[in-house]
Amino acid sequence: MRFPAEPFRIKVVEPLRYVSREERARLLAGAGLNIFQVPADSIYIDLLTDSGTSAMSDSQWAGLMVGDESYAGSRNFYNLERAVREITGYHRMIPTHQGRMAENLLFSTLVRPGQIVPNNSHFDTTRANVEAQGAEALDLVIDEGLDPTFDHPFKGNLDVAKLERLFETHGREKIPLVMITVTNNSGGGQPVSIANARAVREVCDRYGVPLFFDACRFAENCYFIQEREPGYASKSVREIARELFACAVGCTMSGKKDGLVNIGGFLAFNDDSLAERVTNLLLRIEGFPTYGGLAGRDLEGMARGLNEVLSEDYLAFRINQVRNLGAMLDQAGVPIVKPVGGHAVYIDARRFLPHIPQSQFPGQCLVVVLYRDYGIRAVEVGSLMFGHRDPQTGQDVFPKLDLVRLAIPRRVYTSEQMRYVAQSVIEIHRERDAMRGLRLEYEAPVLRHFTARLRELEPATVQT
Ligand code: P71
């Protein structure tokens, strides 16, 4: 039997401050109803992101004390290199301060203006780093991955037929590399199967183009493979990880997710000449190759975290904690994206608040009430984050989906706290008809969701 509940006990606690509803309402009004602008110590349960928010283990904290802060040749670099080599099979590991620097280094080295980089779905920073090279970031996830109600075991898979067509149309010169994000964050933390990764690799090999993983949540992905992919039930997650990584030639990694650390990342692969080119750039913009923008102690924390994350008791708990939150919401009739992914539950705000049009930010309405009435911070992934005014037509353009993400930090919240989250969302759902839309008062020209200011509409102006 899998470990039934939390496979750890609590040694150190971080007190949470209780903030009254009045104070939360005041803070939120002062923040222009923007949850990014609310101080974190006024939040009871913070589900803004699973990135950099993990709790480290006693072994990781002990590892910080054996941090070797030598400028060159720190022992912790070798420990991390060994951990990465054993898990991935890639023998060159270049540490970075977080995932996006690994992306920057890889794309600056391999990608040229006018080229196309296909991915199942680019994460924001990955897209930005591809576009910074003057190239196009193209999402090729399978059609099922775009339908929030479609149940499919590997909704993160890349559409191999679309990839083949892309190669046939443009040839290999236009496509410097292919990427697969595991799990597919932008698609809801959905996994990718080994069969799919292999099929993509086969196409890449035929055209002589390298395949890389964006491996932030590789362990969660491998747990899903063990659970769902035929032939993998009796293999260990560690064995599955090795098999998965063998499908690609390298990876970028944000250690802030499945590295179980608060900061850190790396780039790993087997190509020595690529390592030389990346290292030359690293030396100029990040640091010496044996620390890459991190302290020695951070490297040690990540080395230990990468091994801990492959514990199957931990993964069973982790995946099921997220899944149980989704199940509690689903059973109460709250519309969520299905199946539940590895690191977050996504609420479908358009179905949750059908009386609030996209122009009035239904996702953000839910985020506002979750904080004001329950002290929970979630994040809107919808009209506020992705909507914009078309400069040519002057029309507002909205994304297909308005979602609210409840991202679950690793090893941080108890199942009782998760139950509180579920009950809060269910209560809001019962009272949803009384909720009002929002309007924008201020927006920055780029990445408006971080700094936007909004105001609640008066009841009279609500469209029904
Ligand atoms: C998440 C994040 C963190 C985040 C980053 C930027 C804006 C808002 C939130 C980061 C990822 C990711 C994938 C698949 C690369 C990065 C960047 N995710 N790939 O989901 O999910 O890693 O933050 O270490 O630079 O909240 P980095």
Side-chain angles (χ1 to χ4, degrees):
M1 180 180 156
R2 298 266 198 206
F3 217 98
E6 284 83 348
F8 48 79
R9 58 183 176 183
I10 296 166
K11 194 196 288 282
V12 177
V13 296
E14 183 181 355
L16 294 170
R17 199 163 71 90
Y18 182 73
V19 174
S20 68
R21 187 189 182 281
E22 290 65 39
E23 193 179 342
R24 289 195 300 254
R26 192 177 53 73
L27 286 167
L28 201 55
L33 304 187
N34 187 331
I35 204 73
F36 285 101
Q37 304 295 328
V38 172
D41 69 358
S42 309
I43 287 162
Y44 174 43
I45 296 185
D46 196 351
L47 307 182
L48 182 66
T49 179
D50 67 317
S51 176
T53 52
S54 302
M56 291 204 295
S57 66
D58 50 358
S59 161
Q60 285 176 294
W61 280 105
L64 302 194
M65 284 307 291
V66 294
D68 166 2
E69 306 308 337
S70 305
Y71 191 91
S74 159
R75 69 172 93 89
N76 314 109
F77 168 80
Y78 299 109
N79 290 346
L80 178 60
E81 188 183 52
R82 190 179 329 111
V84 171
R85 198 174 287 172
E86 283 170 4
I87 293 167
T88 65
Y90 306 145
H91 76 274
R92 300 301 301 259
M93 187 282 301
I94 292 151
T96 59
H97 75 279
Q98 59 184 84
R100 64 197 72 180
M101 179 53 85
E103 294 160 12
N104 182 357
L105 292 167
L106 184 67
F107 301 147
S108 298
T109 308
L110 293 184
V111 180
R112 296 285 159 262
Q115 292 187 316
I116 304 168
V117 177
N119 198 324
N120 45 355
S121 306
H122 287 83
F123 181 68
D124 313 20
T125 57
T126 326
R127 172 175 299 281
N129 274 304
V130 168
E131 290 173 354
Q133 300 303 322
E136 182 189 346
L138 186 67
D139 291 345
L140 293 182
V141 72
I142 54 171
D143 291 341
E144 294 89 332
L146 299 170
D147 179 347
T149 58
F150 197 95
D151 208 332
H152 183 290
F154 292 103
K155 257 177 130 169
N157 282 353
L158 191 148
D159 191 321
V160 181
K162 284 187 204 158
L163 183 67
E164 296 234 35
R165 274 203 299 281
L166 190 76
F167 273 111
E168 279 161 20
T169 313
H170 296 283
R172 61 142 300 164
E173 289 69 33
K174 264 226 135 160
I175 304 163
L177 77 158
V178 176
M179 286 204 85
I180 304 180
T181 307
V182 294
T183 56
N184 188 27
N185 185 7
S186 308
Q190 302 293 340
V192 175
S193 70
I194 293 222
N196 183 251
R198 244 186 222 134
V200 172
R201 172 65 184 265
E202 210 256 324
V203 176
C204 288
D205 280 353
R206 222 178 318 128
Y207 288 91
V209 165
L211 170 64
F212 281 82
F213 288 132
D214 176 342
C216 305
R217 299 178 180 87
F218 75 97
E220 291 168 5
N221 197 96
C222 291
Y223 183 85
F224 283 120
I225 290 172
Q226 188 192 57
E227 187 180 74
R228 298 177 183 172
E229 187 158 0
Y232 288 92
S234 60
K235 291 196 179 170
S236 71
V237 173
R238 187 178 273 277
E239 286 169 324
I240 295 169
R242 194 62 192 252
E243 211 173 310
L244 180 69
F245 280 113
C247 298
V249 302
C251 69
T252 59
M253 175 78 190
S254 165
K256 299 172 73 171
K257 289 84 173 169
D258 276 348
L260 296 176
V261 286
N262 307 115
I263 194 73
F266 60 82
L267 186 57
F269 45 74
N270 281 320
D271 182 338
D272 290 330
S273 75
L274 179 62
E276 199 180 309
R277 289 159 71 201
V278 168
T279 301
N280 290 336
L281 186 56
L282 182 87
L283 282 163
R284 180 163 65 81
I285 63 175
E286 181 78 332
F288 191 78
T290 60
Y291 71 82
L294 292 170
R297 56 179 171 272
D298 298 328
L299 301 171
E300 187 64 30
M302 188 156 48
R304 294 182 185 209
L306 286 168
N307 281 310
E308 286 179 13
V309 80
L310 291 171
S311 151
E312 300 193 10
D313 286 340
Y314 158 74
L315 282 169
F317 161 72
R318 160 71 177 164
I319 297 295
N320 283 306
Q321 187 181 47
V322 177
R323 188 181 288 156
N324 287 342
L325 174 62
M328 286 187 274
L329 297 178
D330 188 35
Q331 277 156 22
V334 176
I336 60 167
V337 174
K338 287 198 245 182
V340 174
H343 67 291
V345 175
Y346 290 72
I347 300 170
D348 186 340
R350 288 182 73 182
R351 281 193 288 143
F352 193 109
L353 296 168
H355 63 291
I356 299 182
Q358 278 193 295
S359 58
Q360 294 177 13
F361 310 106
Q364 188 65 13
C365 297
L366 185 50
V367 168
V368 163
V369 176
L370 257 177
Y371 176 66
R372 194 164 52 202
D373 292 352
Y374 300 93
I376 298 164
R377 173 153 70 174
V379 68
E380 191 255 18
V381 186
S383 305
L384 184 59
M385 191 178 270
F386 298 123
H388 61 273
R389 182 151 294 170
D390 188 307
Q392 255 123 51
T393 64
Q395 298 278 311
D396 284 329
V397 183
F398 297 113
K400 191 169 150 248
L401 297 175
D402 264 85
L403 303 176
V404 170
R405 182 175 83 165
L406 306 170
I408 314 301
R410 294 170 182 77
R411 305 194 290 208
V412 170
Y413 292 116
T414 64
S415 301
E416 196 57 33
Q417 286 168 321
M418 290 294 101
R419 225 188 332 268
Y420 171 79
V421 172
Q423 279 166 2
S424 304
V425 175
I426 292 164
E427 270 181 40
I428 297 172
H429 190 240
R430 279 197 211 109
E431 308 290 323
R432 63 190 181 278
D433 292 345
M435 283 171 64
R436 286 184 267 153
L438 307 174
R439 74 179 156 79
L440 262 178
E441 286 213 308
Y442 163 77
E443 67 177 304
V446 286
L447 297 172
R448 66 179 184 177
H449 53 288
F450 290 125
T451 52
R453 297 186 69 83
L454 301 106
R455 190 182 278 276
E456 225 158 13
L457 289 168
E458 297 306 321
T461 54
V462 174
Q463 297 172 11
T464 48

